[in-house]
């Protein structure tokens, strides 16, 4: 089974090549694939199945959802954010059970885990026949988190290692998972970057309830390869032109998807605003395309896209 990314225009896909006859007619895997294709299951990216020369290929359109491992390259997770992730995984596992889907076919790998900024939800892919132990995947995911975790969060560290001990037990079950989440009282900031990024949350049961404190953004951190440096938003600047043009712009992104003058950022006393300058491939905030020539406020924690080039507002 092969799994890799494919880019088409400004859309990103995960493509899974299952090989010959991996899903036999009337098999449990065939049933699960039909369930995925015919139902919208919150938290799962719906696949499109294609068969060529006896080989099954699944394509998952990730849209402009944000990949977790890219986020963690710039911003360290802490206990609050980890708890939110684990709670959403737990809720998704309950949904899988309702649809008679096999938990071991859920892919829990940071490079294939996504945050939908428009829907405010963690989204994963489900591959019938993937068959990797759920317990082993959770254990590996937490081991990954341990390496990049913000260890200044003492309560978060205790929560992280408590979850790790839980999934390391041979008797681990979904019921144990839910009980551990309910009994934990992790609290604090959600993410920290090179400078502390203060985010608070009112209800830890959903990423959608993360809300920024009253604070203007100070920079846009690039998360894709087209832009090579951070966009510093100095209070002394009145506006920053963003685009591909060398002479026309203040911040240059040299990729073909970016228009010559793509967008303008305005720095004002009451906040930072962005305006799309009628670009070909659009400017987005949290996956929502902006209306051209209409200014929109950017807040701490927003994901900003110039075409397919992603930036995180801190």
């Amino acid at each position: 089974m092969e799994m890799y990314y494919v880019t088409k225009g400004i859309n990103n896909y995960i493509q899974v090549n299952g090989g010959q006859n991996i899903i036999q007619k009337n098999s449990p895997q065939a049933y699960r694939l039909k369930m995925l294709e015919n139902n919208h299951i919150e938290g799962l990216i719906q696949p499109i199945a294609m068969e060529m020369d006896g080989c099954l290929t699944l394509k998952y359109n990730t849209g402009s959802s944000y990949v977790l491992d890219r986020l963690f390259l710039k911003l360290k997770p802490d206990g609050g954010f980890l708890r939110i992730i684990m709670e959403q995984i737990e809720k998704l596992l309950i949904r899988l059970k309702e649809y008679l889907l096999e938990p071991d076919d859920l892919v829990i790998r940071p490079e294939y885990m996504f945050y939908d900024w428009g829907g405010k939800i963690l989204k994963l892919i489900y591959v019938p026949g993937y068959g990797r132990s759920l317990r082993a995947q959770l254990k590996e995911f937490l081991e990954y988190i341990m390496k990049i975790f913000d260890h200044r969060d003492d309560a978060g560290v205790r929560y992280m290692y408590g979850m790790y001990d839980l999934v390391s037990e041979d008797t681990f079950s979904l019921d144990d998972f839910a009980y551990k989440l309910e009994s934990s009282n992790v609290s604090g900031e959600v993410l920290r970057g090179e400078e502390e990024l203060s985010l608070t949350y009112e209800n830890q049961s959903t990423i959608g309830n993360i809300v920024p404190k009253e604070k203007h953004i100070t920079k846009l951190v690039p998360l894709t390869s087209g832009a090579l440096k951070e966009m510093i938003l100095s209070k002394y600047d009145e506006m920053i032109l963003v685009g591909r043009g060398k002479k026309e712009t203040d911040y240059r992104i040299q990729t073909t998807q970016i228009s010559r003058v793509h967008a303008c950022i305005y720095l004002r006393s009451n906040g930072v605003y962005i305006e799309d300058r009628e670009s070909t491939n659009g400017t987005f905030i949290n996956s929502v395309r902006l209306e051209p020539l209409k200014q929109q406020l950017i807040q701490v924690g927003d994901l900003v896209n110039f075409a397919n080039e992603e930036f995180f507002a801190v």
Side-chain angles (χ1 to χ4, degrees):
M1 184 179 293
E2 296 178 304
M3 193 180 304
Y4 51 88
Y5 276 95
V6 176
T7 300
K8 212 172 189 181
I10 63 172
N11 291 315
N12 293 315
Y13 296 85
I14 295 174
Q15 185 164 311
V16 180
N17 294 337
Q20 291 187 339
N21 302 321
I22 189 168
I23 296 182
Q24 301 284 347
K25 187 177 181 181
N26 299 323
S27 69
Q29 289 90 347
Y31 163 80
R32 291 169 190 143
L33 180 57
K34 287 181 181 178
M35 291 295 287
L36 292 173
E37 289 181 309
N38 297 329
N39 295 279
H40 171 74
I41 302 175
E42 186 179 13
L44 288 185
I45 301 174
Q46 207 167 17
I48 299 171
M50 299 173 290
E51 188 174 342
M52 296 181 63
D53 300 325
C55 295
L56 180 71
T57 296
L58 301 178
K59 290 185 74 173
Y60 301 80
N61 187 351
T62 65
S64 54
S65 298
Y66 191 65
V67 187
L68 277 189
D69 69 344
R70 289 185 187 174
L71 174 62
F72 293 152
L73 285 174
K74 297 291 183 180
L75 300 167
K76 293 183 178 182
D78 70 357
F81 193 59
L82 176 59
R83 178 187 170 93
I84 289 167
I85 291 174
M86 300 304 282
E87 283 188 339
Q88 291 220 0
I89 291 174
E90 186 253 341
K91 288 182 178 181
L92 178 53
L93 291 170
I94 292 172
R95 294 186 197 108
L96 297 185
K97 189 175 180 180
E98 293 171 354
Y99 284 89
L100 303 180
L101 296 172
E102 178 58 52
D104 288 352
D105 288 343
L106 189 66
V107 179
I108 305 176
R109 293 167 55 182
E111 64 268 36
Y112 299 122
M113 299 169 72
F114 304 87
Y115 178 45
D116 180 351
W117 293 84
K120 309 267 184 212
I121 189 172
L122 186 73
K123 301 187 79 171
L124 282 71
I125 66 172
Y126 182 99
V127 181
Y130 185 61
R132 290 209 61 221
S133 163
L134 172 67
R135 184 173 71 89
Q137 289 197 78
L138 288 170
K139 187 170 178 285
E140 290 172 4
F141 176 70
L142 288 167
E143 287 171 350
Y144 163 85
I145 293 291
M146 287 176 186
K147 297 175 183 178
I148 58 174
F149 197 78
D150 189 340
H151 284 80
R152 294 173 293 177
D153 178 6
D154 293 336
V157 169
R158 290 193 297 272
Y159 169 74
M160 176 178 63
Y161 282 100
M163 290 300 300
Y164 183 76
D165 289 342
L166 179 71
V167 301
S168 296
E169 294 175 2
D170 293 334
T171 57
F172 168 76
S173 72
L174 184 56
D175 291 336
D176 295 331
F177 191 27
Y179 174 77
K180 180 69 177 179
L181 287 168
E182 289 171 4
S183 63
S184 172
N185 61 352
V186 174
S187 61
E189 294 174 342
V190 177
L191 296 171
R192 293 185 180 95
E194 296 169 4
E195 299 173 358
E196 289 199 358
L197 173 60
S198 297
L199 299 179
T200 61
Y201 48 91
E202 300 170 340
N203 181 342
Q204 294 173 328
S205 64
T206 171
I207 292 179
N209 287 322
I210 297 176
V211 293
K213 290 181 178 178
E214 293 297 327
K215 177 182 175 182
H216 295 335
I217 66 173
T218 58
K219 59 185 175 181
L220 292 178
V221 180
L223 301 167
T224 45
S225 58
L228 301 178
K229 61 180 182 179
E230 296 175 345
M231 188 186 304
I232 304 299
L233 305 175
S234 168
K235 63 182 180 181
Y236 302 109
D237 291 330
E238 293 184 355
M239 57 184 285
I240 299 173
L241 286 172
V242 179
R244 194 178 71 247
K246 185 175 182 179
K247 296 180 179 180
E248 300 91 340
T249 60
D250 305 298
Y251 185 94
R252 192 180 181 201
I253 306 175
Q254 300 182 63
T255 62
T256 56
Q257 298 293 328
I258 302 295
S259 297
R260 185 172 55 82
V261 178
H262 196 100
C264 184
I265 295 176
Y266 299 91
L267 291 88
R268 300 196 177 98
S269 59
N270 65 339
V272 177
Y273 294 78
I274 188 169
E275 175 187 85
D276 182 80
R277 288 294 180 91
E278 298 182 303
S279 64
T280 301
N281 293 313
T283 303
F284 303 78
I285 297 179
N286 300 334
S287 302
V288 178
R289 185 164 183 164
L290 302 185
E291 183 181 334
L293 305 178
K294 186 175 180 179
Q295 297 177 25
Q296 178 68 43
L297 179 68
I298 312 172
Q299 297 178 319
V300 170
D302 281 344
L303 180 70
V304 178
N305 274 62
F306 304 103
N308 60 343
E309 296 298 329
E310 299 174 332
F311 292 77
F312 194 77
V314 298

